[in-house]
Protein backbone atom coordinates (compact mmCIF):
# COMPACT_ATOMS: atom_id res chain seq x y z
CA UNK A 1 0.00 0.00 0.00
CA UNK A 2 1.30 3.49 -0.80
CA UNK A 3 2.31 5.45 2.28
CA UNK A 4 -0.14 8.34 2.54
CA UNK A 5 1.97 10.40 4.99
CA UNK A 6 3.51 13.49 3.44
CA UNK A 7 1.47 13.15 0.23
CA UNK A 8 1.35 16.29 -1.97
CA UNK A 9 -2.06 17.88 -1.41
CA UNK A 10 -2.27 20.23 -4.38
CA UNK A 11 -2.75 18.53 -7.70
CA UNK A 12 -1.53 19.84 -11.01
CA UNK A 13 -3.35 18.63 -14.11
CA UNK A 14 -1.23 20.69 -16.54
CA UNK A 15 -4.35 21.69 -18.42
CA UNK A 16 -2.29 23.76 -20.84
CA UNK A 17 -0.30 20.75 -22.09
CA UNK A 18 -1.31 18.13 -24.67
CA UNK A 19 -1.13 14.46 -23.76
CA UNK A 20 2.53 13.50 -24.19
CA UNK A 21 2.66 10.46 -26.48
CA UNK A 22 -0.14 11.28 -28.91
CA UNK A 23 2.33 12.02 -31.71
CA UNK A 24 1.81 9.33 -34.32
CA UNK A 25 -1.80 8.25 -33.77
CA UNK A 26 -5.06 10.16 -33.40
CA UNK A 27 -6.35 8.27 -30.34
CA UNK A 28 -5.09 9.31 -26.92
CA UNK A 29 -2.95 6.72 -25.18
CA UNK A 30 -3.04 4.32 -28.14
CA UNK A 31 0.21 5.26 -29.90
CA UNK A 32 1.95 2.13 -28.61
CA UNK A 33 -0.81 -0.35 -29.45
CA UNK A 34 -0.61 -2.84 -32.31
CA UNK A 35 -2.06 -2.64 -35.81
CA UNK A 36 -5.31 -4.46 -35.06
CA UNK A 37 -6.08 -2.30 -32.03
CA UNK A 38 -5.35 0.83 -34.05
CA UNK A 39 -7.53 -0.33 -36.93
CA UNK A 40 -10.48 -0.92 -34.61
CA UNK A 41 -9.94 2.36 -32.75
CA UNK A 42 -9.90 4.10 -36.14
CA UNK A 43 -13.31 2.53 -36.86
CA UNK A 44 -14.48 4.29 -33.71
CA UNK A 45 -12.60 7.62 -33.73
CA UNK A 46 -12.67 9.54 -37.01
CA UNK A 47 -9.03 10.12 -38.03
CA UNK A 48 -9.79 13.67 -39.25
CA UNK A 49 -11.50 15.03 -36.14
CA UNK A 50 -10.15 12.42 -33.71
CA UNK A 51 -13.68 12.23 -32.31
CA UNK A 52 -16.76 10.00 -32.39
CA UNK A 53 -20.53 10.00 -32.16
CA UNK A 54 -21.55 6.72 -30.59
CA UNK A 55 -25.20 5.80 -30.49
CA UNK A 56 -26.06 3.74 -27.39
CA UNK A 57 -29.13 1.54 -27.66
CA UNK A 58 -28.03 -1.26 -25.31
CA UNK A 59 -30.55 -0.22 -22.62
CA UNK A 60 -32.64 -3.35 -23.14
CA UNK A 61 -29.92 -5.43 -21.49
CA UNK A 62 -31.31 -4.43 -18.12
CA UNK A 63 -34.26 -2.08 -18.79
CA UNK A 64 -36.19 -4.17 -21.31
CA UNK A 65 -38.11 -2.25 -23.94
CA UNK A 66 -37.62 1.41 -22.98
CA UNK A 67 -39.49 4.26 -24.58
CA UNK A 68 -38.02 4.97 -28.02
CA UNK A 69 -36.41 1.55 -28.39
CA UNK A 70 -39.57 -0.52 -28.83
CA UNK A 71 -38.75 -1.34 -32.48
CA UNK A 72 -35.02 -1.50 -33.13
CA UNK A 73 -35.67 -2.80 -36.63
CA UNK A 74 -37.42 0.51 -37.46
CA UNK A 75 -35.20 2.90 -35.48
CA UNK A 76 -31.73 1.71 -36.46
CA UNK A 77 -32.10 2.10 -40.24
CA UNK A 78 -33.23 5.71 -39.60
CA UNK A 79 -30.14 6.49 -37.54
CA UNK A 80 -27.33 4.44 -38.94
CA UNK A 81 -26.13 7.06 -41.44
CA UNK A 82 -26.10 9.76 -38.76
CA UNK A 83 -23.68 8.25 -36.23
CA UNK A 84 -20.18 6.71 -36.23
CA UNK A 85 -20.61 3.76 -33.87
CA UNK A 86 -23.46 1.55 -32.67
CA UNK A 87 -23.27 0.52 -29.02
CA UNK A 88 -25.48 -2.53 -28.71
CA UNK A 89 -25.99 -6.00 -27.32
CA UNK A 90 -25.33 -9.02 -29.52
CA UNK A 91 -29.07 -9.79 -29.51
CA UNK A 92 -29.90 -6.36 -30.91
CA UNK A 93 -27.14 -6.56 -33.52
CA UNK A 94 -28.06 -10.00 -34.82
CA UNK A 95 -31.81 -9.40 -34.90
CA UNK A 96 -32.13 -5.78 -35.93
CA UNK A 97 -29.02 -4.48 -37.70
CA UNK A 98 -28.23 -5.51 -41.26
CA UNK A 99 -24.72 -7.01 -41.32
CA UNK A 100 -23.62 -4.95 -44.35
CA UNK A 101 -23.53 -1.62 -42.51
CA UNK A 102 -20.17 0.13 -42.39
CA UNK A 103 -19.93 1.71 -38.95
CA UNK A 104 -18.06 0.89 -35.77
CA UNK A 105 -19.56 -1.45 -33.19
CA UNK A 106 -19.19 -1.32 -29.40
CA UNK A 107 -20.54 -4.61 -28.10
CA UNK A 108 -22.06 -4.63 -24.62
CA UNK A 109 -20.65 -7.77 -23.00
CA UNK A 110 -21.51 -7.36 -19.31
CA UNK A 111 -24.95 -8.15 -17.97
CA UNK A 112 -26.70 -9.67 -14.99
CA UNK A 113 -29.25 -7.33 -13.45
CA UNK A 114 -32.62 -5.86 -14.32
CA UNK A 115 -34.79 -2.94 -13.30
CA UNK A 116 -36.39 -5.29 -10.76
CA UNK A 117 -33.18 -5.33 -8.67
CA UNK A 118 -32.42 -2.65 -6.08
CA UNK A 119 -28.70 -3.10 -6.57
CA UNK A 120 -27.68 -3.16 -10.23
CA UNK A 121 -23.97 -3.56 -9.53
CA UNK A 122 -23.76 -7.35 -9.79
CA UNK A 123 -22.88 -8.40 -13.32
CA UNK A 124 -21.17 -11.18 -15.20
CA UNK A 125 -19.39 -11.34 -18.55
CA UNK A 126 -22.16 -12.62 -20.78
CA UNK A 127 -20.41 -12.86 -24.15
CA UNK A 128 -17.47 -15.08 -25.14
CA UNK A 129 -14.58 -13.47 -26.96
CA UNK A 130 -15.19 -15.90 -29.87
CA UNK A 131 -18.69 -14.52 -30.34
CA UNK A 132 -17.38 -10.95 -30.33
CA UNK A 133 -14.90 -11.99 -33.03
CA UNK A 134 -17.71 -13.61 -35.06
CA UNK A 135 -19.58 -10.31 -34.89
CA UNK A 136 -16.39 -8.46 -35.94
CA UNK A 137 -16.83 -5.77 -33.30
CA UNK A 138 -14.52 -2.82 -32.68
CA UNK A 139 -14.64 -2.78 -28.91
CA UNK A 140 -16.07 -4.64 -25.93
CA UNK A 141 -18.09 -2.60 -23.42
CA UNK A 142 -18.08 -3.50 -19.73
CA UNK A 143 -19.93 -1.68 -16.95
CA UNK A 144 -17.81 -0.98 -13.85
CA UNK A 145 -19.28 -0.08 -10.47
CA UNK A 146 -16.57 1.70 -8.49
CA UNK A 147 -17.58 2.11 -4.85
CA UNK A 148 -20.62 -0.14 -5.15
CA UNK A 149 -21.27 -3.57 -3.67
CA UNK A 150 -20.42 -5.19 -6.97
CA UNK A 151 -17.10 -3.36 -7.43
CA UNK A 152 -14.90 -6.45 -7.12
CA UNK A 153 -16.90 -8.58 -9.55
CA UNK A 154 -17.17 -5.74 -12.05
CA UNK A 155 -13.39 -5.21 -11.94
CA UNK A 156 -12.99 -8.96 -12.34
CA UNK A 157 -15.32 -8.81 -15.38
CA UNK A 158 -13.37 -5.89 -16.79
CA UNK A 159 -10.00 -7.61 -16.32
CA UNK A 160 -11.17 -10.79 -18.00
CA UNK A 161 -12.60 -8.88 -20.95
CA UNK A 162 -9.44 -6.77 -21.37
CA UNK A 163 -7.27 -9.90 -21.22
CA UNK A 164 -9.42 -11.70 -23.81
CA UNK A 165 -9.62 -8.58 -26.03
CA UNK A 166 -5.86 -8.09 -25.90
CA UNK A 167 -5.33 -11.63 -27.22
CA UNK A 168 -7.18 -10.65 -30.42
CA UNK A 169 -6.47 -6.89 -30.58
CA UNK A 170 -10.00 -5.86 -29.62
CA UNK A 171 -10.06 -2.75 -27.42
CA UNK A 172 -12.23 -2.51 -24.30
CA UNK A 173 -14.55 0.36 -23.44
CA UNK A 174 -14.99 0.77 -19.68
CA UNK A 175 -18.35 2.26 -18.73
CA UNK A 176 -18.39 4.15 -15.43
CA UNK A 177 -21.67 3.27 -13.74
CA UNK A 178 -23.43 5.76 -11.56
CA UNK A 179 -25.96 4.49 -9.06
CA UNK A 180 -28.10 5.99 -6.36
CA UNK A 181 -25.21 6.00 -3.87
CA UNK A 182 -22.57 7.24 -6.30
CA UNK A 183 -21.98 10.95 -6.48
CA UNK A 184 -21.61 12.60 -9.87
CA UNK A 185 -18.64 14.72 -8.80
CA UNK A 186 -15.28 15.34 -10.38
CA UNK A 187 -13.67 13.52 -7.42
CA UNK A 188 -15.74 10.41 -8.13
CA UNK A 189 -15.19 10.52 -11.88
CA UNK A 190 -11.44 11.14 -11.46
CA UNK A 191 -11.25 8.06 -9.28
CA UNK A 192 -13.39 5.83 -11.49
CA UNK A 193 -12.02 6.88 -14.90
CA UNK A 194 -8.43 6.55 -13.75
CA UNK A 195 -9.00 3.10 -12.25
CA UNK A 196 -10.50 1.92 -15.55
CA UNK A 197 -7.63 3.37 -17.58
CA UNK A 198 -5.04 1.80 -15.31
CA UNK A 199 -6.82 -1.54 -15.65
CA UNK A 200 -6.11 -1.28 -19.39
CA UNK A 201 -9.22 -0.01 -21.18
CA UNK A 202 -8.69 1.93 -24.40
CA UNK A 203 -11.79 4.12 -24.02
CA UNK A 204 -13.72 5.32 -20.97
CA UNK A 205 -17.37 6.28 -20.98
CA UNK A 206 -18.42 8.59 -18.17
CA UNK A 207 -20.60 11.60 -17.40
CA UNK A 208 -20.01 15.31 -17.74
CA UNK A 209 -19.38 17.13 -14.45
CA UNK A 210 -17.82 20.32 -13.03
CA UNK A 211 -14.05 20.43 -13.56
CA UNK A 212 -14.52 17.92 -16.35
CA UNK A 213 -11.27 19.08 -17.99
CA UNK A 214 -9.38 17.80 -14.94
CA UNK A 215 -11.11 14.41 -15.22
CA UNK A 216 -10.01 14.30 -18.88
CA UNK A 217 -6.44 15.44 -18.14
CA UNK A 218 -5.94 12.74 -15.51
CA UNK A 219 -7.28 9.96 -17.74
CA UNK A 220 -4.66 8.67 -20.23
CA UNK A 221 -7.25 7.30 -22.70
CA UNK A 222 -10.09 9.09 -24.53
CA UNK A 223 -13.28 9.85 -22.65
CA UNK A 224 -16.66 9.68 -24.36
CA UNK A 225 -19.55 11.25 -22.49
CA UNK A 226 -22.82 9.46 -21.75
CA UNK A 227 -26.01 11.33 -22.42
CA UNK A 228 -28.01 10.16 -19.43
CA UNK A 229 -31.70 10.93 -18.94
CA UNK A 230 -33.52 12.77 -21.70
CA UNK A 231 -33.02 16.53 -21.57
CA UNK A 232 -34.62 19.20 -23.74
CA UNK A 233 -32.63 19.15 -27.01
CA UNK A 234 -31.09 22.57 -26.41
CA UNK A 235 -29.72 21.48 -23.03
CA UNK A 236 -28.44 18.20 -24.44
CA UNK A 237 -26.55 20.11 -27.14
CA UNK A 238 -25.09 22.42 -24.49
CA UNK A 239 -23.96 19.41 -22.48
CA UNK A 240 -22.39 17.92 -25.62
CA UNK A 241 -20.62 21.19 -26.41
CA UNK A 242 -19.34 21.61 -22.84
CA UNK A 243 -18.09 18.02 -22.87
CA UNK A 244 -16.12 18.57 -26.08
CA UNK A 245 -14.77 21.89 -24.78
CA UNK A 246 -13.66 20.03 -21.67
CA UNK A 247 -11.65 17.57 -23.76
CA UNK A 248 -14.06 14.68 -24.41
CA UNK A 249 -13.38 12.84 -27.68
CA UNK A 250 -17.02 12.27 -28.37
CA UNK A 251 -20.47 11.44 -27.05
CA UNK A 252 -21.95 8.02 -26.44
CA UNK A 253 -25.57 9.05 -26.33
CA UNK A 254 -28.77 7.07 -26.14
CA UNK A 255 -31.96 8.58 -24.77
CA UNK A 256 -31.10 12.12 -25.82
CA UNK A 257 -31.12 10.85 -29.39
CA UNK A 258 -33.72 8.09 -29.55
CA UNK A 259 -36.24 9.78 -27.22
CA UNK A 260 -36.10 12.98 -29.25
CA UNK A 261 -39.03 13.57 -31.62
CA UNK A 262 -36.36 14.01 -34.28
CA UNK A 263 -33.66 11.40 -33.61
CA UNK A 264 -31.69 11.66 -36.85
CA UNK A 265 -31.63 15.47 -36.78
CA UNK A 266 -30.52 15.34 -33.15
CA UNK A 267 -27.73 12.89 -34.03
CA UNK A 268 -26.64 15.20 -36.86
CA UNK A 269 -26.57 18.22 -34.53
CA UNK A 270 -24.41 16.28 -32.07
CA UNK A 271 -22.14 15.31 -34.99
CA UNK A 272 -21.72 18.99 -35.91
CA UNK A 273 -20.41 19.70 -32.41
CA UNK A 274 -18.24 16.59 -32.28
CA UNK A 275 -16.68 16.73 -35.75
CA UNK A 276 -17.13 20.27 -37.02
CA UNK A 277 -16.54 22.33 -33.87
CA UNK A 278 -20.03 23.86 -33.89
CA UNK A 279 -20.91 25.84 -30.77
CA UNK A 280 -24.00 24.80 -28.80
CA UNK A 281 -25.90 27.70 -30.35
CA UNK A 282 -24.83 26.85 -33.88
CA UNK A 283 -25.86 23.23 -33.32
CA UNK A 284 -29.21 24.31 -31.88
CA UNK A 285 -29.82 26.62 -34.88
CA UNK A 286 -28.86 23.75 -37.19
CA UNK A 287 -31.27 21.39 -35.39
CA UNK A 288 -34.11 23.95 -35.36
CA UNK A 289 -33.68 24.50 -39.08
CA UNK A 290 -33.47 20.77 -39.83
CA UNK A 291 -36.76 19.90 -38.11
CA UNK A 292 -38.80 22.58 -39.91
C1 LIG B 1 -25.10 2.68 -19.20
C2 LIG B 1 -24.71 2.70 -20.61
C3 LIG B 1 -25.73 2.94 -21.60
O1 LIG B 1 -25.35 2.55 -22.87
C4 LIG B 1 -25.93 4.40 -21.65
O2 LIG B 1 -26.01 4.98 -20.38
C5 LIG B 1 -27.11 4.71 -22.38
O3 LIG B 1 -27.03 5.95 -22.88
P1 LIG B 1 -27.89 7.15 -22.29
O4 LIG B 1 -27.59 7.26 -20.83
O5 LIG B 1 -27.35 8.30 -23.09
O6 LIG B 1 -29.33 6.87 -22.57
O7 LIG B 1 -23.59 2.58 -20.97
O8 LIG B 1 -25.15 1.40 -18.79
Amino acid sequence: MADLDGIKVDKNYHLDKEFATDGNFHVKGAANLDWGMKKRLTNIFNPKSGNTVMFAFDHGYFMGSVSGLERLDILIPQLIDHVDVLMATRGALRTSVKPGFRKGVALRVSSGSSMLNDDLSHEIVAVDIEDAIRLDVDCLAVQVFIGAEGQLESIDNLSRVINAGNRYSIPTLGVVAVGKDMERTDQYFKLATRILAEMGVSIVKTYYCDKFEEVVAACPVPIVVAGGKKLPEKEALEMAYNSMQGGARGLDMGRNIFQSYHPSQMADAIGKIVHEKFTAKEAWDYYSQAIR
Side-chain angles (χ1 to χ4, degrees):
M1 230 355 150
D3 182 359
L4 295 179
D5 286 344
I7 203 164
K8 246 170 103 175
V9 175
D10 288 340
K11 293 189 176 160
N12 187 349
Y13 294 96
H14 299 282
L15 296 179
D16 55 332
K17 295 198 174 80
E18 289 286 305
F19 184 73
T21 64
D22 257 354
N24 66 356
F25 191 58
H26 63 287
V27 180
K28 185 180 186 182
N32 301 321
L33 299 184
D34 73 345
W35 192 92
M37 284 280 192
K38 284 180 169 165
K39 177 175 187 293
R40 290 188 173 89
L41 288 169
T42 301
N43 287 343
I44 296 171
F45 294 96
N46 179 311
K48 266 198 196 149
S49 65
N51 300 331
T52 186
V53 178
M54 304 178 74
F55 174 52
F57 59 100
D58 56 338
H59 305 57
Y61 98 95
F62 75 107
M63 295 168 99
S65 158
V66 300
S67 171
L69 291 184
E70 298 85 351
R71 288 290 302 270
L72 295 177
D73 59 316
I74 296 172
L75 179 73
I76 303 308
Q78 290 171 17
L79 275 169
I80 202 148
D81 291 335
H82 303 267
V83 297
D84 302 309
V85 177
L86 301 182
M87 179 169 179
T89 61
R90 63 178 164 185
L93 279 177
R94 283 205 170 98
T95 59
S96 310
V97 183
K98 291 200 188 331
F101 78 101
R102 304 182 70 79
K103 301 282 175 170
V105 175
L107 180 68
R108 157 77 56 182
V109 299
S110 64
S111 166
S113 55
S114 79
M115 292 306 280
L116 300 179
N117 302 123
D118 283 337
D119 182 350
L120 300 174
S121 72
H122 300 287
E123 291 199 332
I124 55 164
V125 177
V127 179
D128 287 341
I129 189 69
E130 289 78 11
D131 211 24
I133 293 167
R134 278 190 285 274
L135 288 163
D136 195 20
V137 303
D138 297 296
C139 72
L140 307 162
V142 179
Q143 195 89 0
V144 184
F145 299 84
I146 300 299
E149 253 192 47
Q151 172 178 297
L152 177 62
E153 64 207 68
S154 71
I155 289 186
D156 183 51
N157 294 340
L158 182 71
S159 314
R160 284 185 291 113
V161 169
I162 293 170
N163 288 331
N166 283 351
R167 285 202 288 280
Y168 301 99
S169 294
I170 304 180
T172 298
L173 162 63
V175 181
V176 174
V178 285
K180 45 184 188 309
D181 302 326
M182 295 176 222
E183 329 160 63
R184 294 184 180 218
T185 60
D186 64 295
Q187 288 99 320
Y188 178 72
F189 290 131
K190 280 172 192 157
L191 173 75
T193 58
R194 183 61 176 260
I195 290 174
L196 270 55
E198 302 248 0
M199 294 299 300
V201 303
S202 296
I203 312 166
V204 171
K205 172 172 174 170
T206 190
Y207 291 83
Y208 182 72
C209 61
D210 287 344
K211 298 192 190 166
F212 181 70
E213 60 287 351
E214 293 184 359
V215 179
V216 169
C219 181
V221 298
I223 290 185
V224 293
V225 169
K229 282 188 189 142
K230 174 80 175 70
L231 301 166
E233 278 79 357
K234 197 166 184 221
E235 283 174 39
L237 293 171
E238 276 158 12
M239 193 273 286
Y241 174 73
N242 292 338
S243 301
M244 296 306 291
Q245 288 297 107
R249 300 320 304 240
L251 275 293
D252 186 2
M253 211 171 229
R255 286 162 286 181
N256 279 290
I257 293 178
F258 67 72
Q259 289 181 346
S260 168
Y261 282 113
H262 307 284
S264 64
Q265 291 90 338
M266 187 59 187
D268 284 344
I270 296 287
K272 295 284 178 192
I273 293 171
V274 167
H275 294 303
E276 296 180 37
K277 295 189 164 48
F278 272 35
T279 63
K281 179 174 181 323
E282 287 168 335
W284 170 247
D285 290 346
Y286 172 89
Y287 172 80
S288 308
Q289 185 72 31
I291 63 171
R292 275 197 194 144

